[in-house]
């Protein structure tokens, strides 16, 4: 299967809490594995369904918390990790679905800063 990503991914770990849009009383926890301007991947113990809509809160550096909305586009069960605590973990691919304004714009600025840091090295 060809990689369909249109933007670079950066390996950055951020704390995330999330819930399905239709179930605000449920809160789950995850960590980002990588991020891009149009999406991110999460590592979580929660099995999610492709197409599921989520509200995610990301903890950016300097204690800034932002909320973005996403859709699950990929679910990969990490069975080799199942022995850790007896629960399998899941790698979840998320596509940002809301227009880029408010917190989504703050998220894109954060990604742009990190890309500049990574790809700007050695340009001096």
């Amino acid at each position: 299967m060809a990689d369909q990503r249109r933007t670079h991914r950066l390996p950055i770990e951020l704390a995330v809490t999330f819930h399905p849009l239709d179930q605000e009383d449920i809160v789950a926890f995850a960590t980002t594995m990588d991020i891009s301007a149009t999406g991110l991947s999460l590592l979580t113990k929660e099995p999610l369904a492709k197409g599921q809509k989520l509200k995610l809160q990301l903890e950016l550096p300097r204690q800034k918390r932002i909320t973005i909305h996403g859709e699950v586009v990929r679910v990969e069960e990490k069975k080799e990790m199942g022995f850790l605590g007896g629960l399998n973990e899941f790698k979840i691919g998320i596509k940002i679905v809301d227009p880029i304004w408010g917190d989504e714009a703050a998220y894109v600025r954060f990604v742009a800063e990190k890309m500049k840091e990574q790809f700007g090295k050695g340009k001096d």
Side-chain angles (χ1 to χ4, degrees):
M1 180 181 215
D3 190 343
Q4 298 178 5
R5 296 178 185 142
R6 296 177 298 174
T7 59
H8 289 287
R9 297 232 167 208
L10 300 170
I12 295 176
E13 291 184 13
L14 301 170
V16 180
T17 57
F18 66 92
H19 64 81
L21 283 181
D22 59 348
Q23 298 173 322
E24 292 194 29
D25 58 329
I26 297 174
V27 177
F29 301 92
T31 302
T32 60
M33 296 179 69
D34 57 56
I35 63 173
S36 77
T38 58
L40 48 105
S41 66
L42 303 175
L43 188 61
T44 183
K45 294 191 182 302
E46 306 304 320
L48 298 171
K50 191 173 178 181
Q52 193 170 13
K53 304 273 198 262
L54 303 174
K55 183 175 182 180
L56 304 105
Q57 287 195 316
L58 284 76
E59 199 69 45
L60 299 183
R62 294 181 294 282
Q63 299 167 335
K64 177 162 176 61
R65 179 176 290 203
I66 61 169
T67 300
I68 60 175
H69 295 86
E71 178 181 340
V72 176
V73 294
R74 187 179 66 260
V75 178
E76 176 185 332
E77 188 170 5
K78 306 290 278 180
K79 292 182 182 180
E80 68 275 7
M81 296 179 186
F83 68 91
L84 298 174
L87 296 173
N88 287 346
E89 291 185 308
F90 300 89
K91 182 178 179 183
I92 309 294
I94 305 288
K95 171 179 74 171
I96 296 173
V97 294
D98 273 359
I100 303 300
W101 59 29
D103 280 354
E104 282 81 10
Y107 172 78
V108 171
R109 279 192 300 276
F110 173 75
V111 172
E113 288 171 11
K114 293 301 178 185
M115 289 186 91
K116 184 177 177 183
E117 287 173 14
Q118 180 173 341
F119 296 112
K121 293 178 182 176
K123 300 256 183 189
D124 297 329

